[in-house]
Amino acid sequence: MAIKLTKAQKKINYDQKLCRLLEEYTQILIVAADNVGSNQLQNIRKGLRGESIVLMGKNTMMKRTVKLYAEKSGNNGVLNLIPLLVGNVGLVFTKGDLKEVREEIAKYKVGAPARVGLIAPIDVVVPPGNTGLDPSQTSFFQVLNIPTKINKGTVEIITPVELIKKGDKVGSSEAALLSKLGIRPFSYGLIVLSVYEDGSVFSPEVLDLTEEDLVQKFASGLSIVAAMSVALSFPTLAGAPHMFINAYKNVLSLAVATEYTYPQAEKVKEYLKDPSKFAALAAPVAAGGGDTVAATASAAKEEAKEEEESDEEDMCLGLFD
């Protein structure tokens, strides 16, 4: 026969378990568990078994254990978990890929009926069509101002109706109608609220970022730093190349406008004194283009000859058919 533990012993065991998990794992998902049943939670534990552990408990107990662990271990980074332990939340300790674990958790959402008094997490729209209800049930639709008609002895909804708006409480009439129509509009499961990793806390949206997104954001930030560096004449690694190029342009324009010169400015001055040298540079390019045009023309001529020869053959064959 199993020995029944006292409340004090349960607290001690819980403290030991949470401290062991905090010591072993550096990645934690803080999840909301509103409207999640025990069977559903058990299925989630089974699905994550092997690389993740789901731990639920009272917020006061978790906060107390986190503080005790931080004092004993000197790991003050875990104290960042305390502000997140608000509401009906749990902790998912994992050593796997955070994005994959979050996707695995999302698989275990289950449909749920609209119960009276619940806050609707989404808009609920009743689609048009035959409801299968007999005409005596029209009172439900009249109370909710849903346009209907009788078709072949059953009630038919004419147009789609937004029955419940997101954030509104579910009323008794709405719950009864959805139950009669067999509509389970809501789905519940563990929802990842925050991510903890090595003392840092960030939003789960960060897990959706790809390498391309990171490169794009880094390049955007780098361009901003370079622009500020140039505008403020404050040298940075990002702005230094642009500052050197601008400085070279200024020195070159000064050399062109005055008699001062240096080896790199000599060619520019030569081109400005004798613009015909630009034509000499462009000549090879033009010559290359001329060769291309000539080759294209000769190819066209060969194609024309082949077409004439084929036409002559067709005419000869036509004479002796």
Side-chain angles (χ1 to χ4, degrees):
M1 183 177 178
I3 300 174
K4 188 175 181 180
L5 299 176
T6 63
K7 288 185 178 181
Q9 290 173 330
K10 289 180 180 179
K11 286 183 178 180
I12 292 172
N13 292 341
Y14 187 87
D15 288 344
Q16 291 175 348
K17 182 177 182 180
L18 182 52
C19 288
R20 177 176 56 81
L21 293 173
L22 290 171
E23 182 69 29
E24 185 178 351
Y25 293 85
T26 59
Q27 299 180 144
I28 306 172
L29 298 177
I30 296 86
V31 296
D34 293 332
N35 302 302
V36 177
S38 57
N39 291 334
Q40 185 181 356
L41 190 60
Q42 189 64 26
N43 291 331
I44 295 172
R45 284 194 169 103
K46 289 179 181 178
L48 297 176
R49 188 171 294 166
E51 63 176 13
S52 304
I53 295 176
V54 181
L55 182 68
M56 307 298 293
K58 293 183 178 179
N59 294 342
T60 52
M61 289 181 62
M62 288 192 285
K63 290 178 180 179
R64 183 176 63 85
T65 305
V66 169
K67 289 178 181 178
L68 291 173
Y69 173 78
E71 292 174 1
K72 291 179 181 178
S73 64
N75 181 10
N76 293 325
V78 296
L79 295 175
N80 293 327
L81 289 170
I82 293 177
L84 307 176
L85 300 176
V86 179
N88 187 16
V89 297
L91 303 176
V92 179
F93 297 85
T94 182
K95 291 182 179 179
D97 182 84
L98 290 170
K99 185 177 181 180
E100 292 178 0
V101 174
R102 186 186 63 167
E103 292 173 353
E104 184 67 24
I105 291 173
K107 292 179 182 178
Y108 292 91
K109 285 188 175 182
V110 296
R115 296 189 181 92
V116 179
L118 283 178
I119 303 299
I122 57 171
D123 294 333
V124 178
V125 177
V126 178
N130 197 318
T131 63
L133 301 176
D134 59 82
S136 63
Q137 304 291 329
T138 53
S139 59
F140 284 104
F141 300 96
Q142 291 172 354
V143 170
L144 298 170
N145 296 321
I146 298 176
T148 59
K149 66 178 182 179
I150 306 301
N151 185 16
K152 296 180 180 179
T154 58
V155 179
E156 182 177 333
I157 298 174
I158 301 173
T159 58
V161 178
E162 186 178 28
L163 188 63
I164 308 171
K165 292 184 178 181
K166 181 179 178 180
D168 291 348
K169 279 189 177 182
V170 179
S172 57
S173 299
E174 291 89 346
L177 177 60
L178 291 171
S179 177
K180 286 181 178 293
L181 296 177
I183 297 175
R184 298 167 67 89
F186 305 143
S187 60
Y188 297 110
L190 295 181
I191 301 172
V192 179
L193 301 177
S194 302
V195 182
Y196 169 91
E197 185 174 17
D198 290 324
S200 300
V201 177
F202 51 88
S203 171
E205 282 76 14
V206 175
L207 301 177
D208 297 324
L209 293 175
T210 62
E211 290 185 4
E212 291 76 11
D213 295 329
L214 294 176
V215 170
Q216 185 178 359
K217 288 182 179 294
F218 179 78
S220 176
L222 194 64
S223 63
I224 294 172
V225 172
M228 290 184 64
S229 175
V230 173
L232 298 174
S233 298
F234 183 83
T236 61
L237 288 175
H242 303 281
M243 297 175 76
F244 280 120
I245 291 172
N246 290 340
Y248 174 74
K249 290 179 180 178
N250 293 334
V251 174
L252 182 60
S253 61
L254 185 63
V256 171
T258 64
E259 295 181 357
Y260 174 77
T261 186
Y262 56 94
Q264 288 80 4
E266 289 295 334
K267 285 187 178 181
V268 178
K269 286 190 173 186
E270 287 179 11
Y271 290 138
L272 292 175
K273 288 180 180 178
D274 186 8
S276 62
K277 290 186 177 181
F278 283 109
L281 283 174
V285 179
D291 294 340
T292 305
V293 174
T296 306
S298 62
K301 288 180 180 180
E302 290 178 1
E303 289 179 3
K305 286 182 179 179
E306 290 177 0
E307 288 179 0
E308 289 177 0
E309 291 176 358
S310 62
D311 291 342
E312 290 177 0
E313 289 177 1
D314 292 341
M315 289 176 66
C316 292
L317 289 172
L319 289 171
F320 296 99
D321 283 344

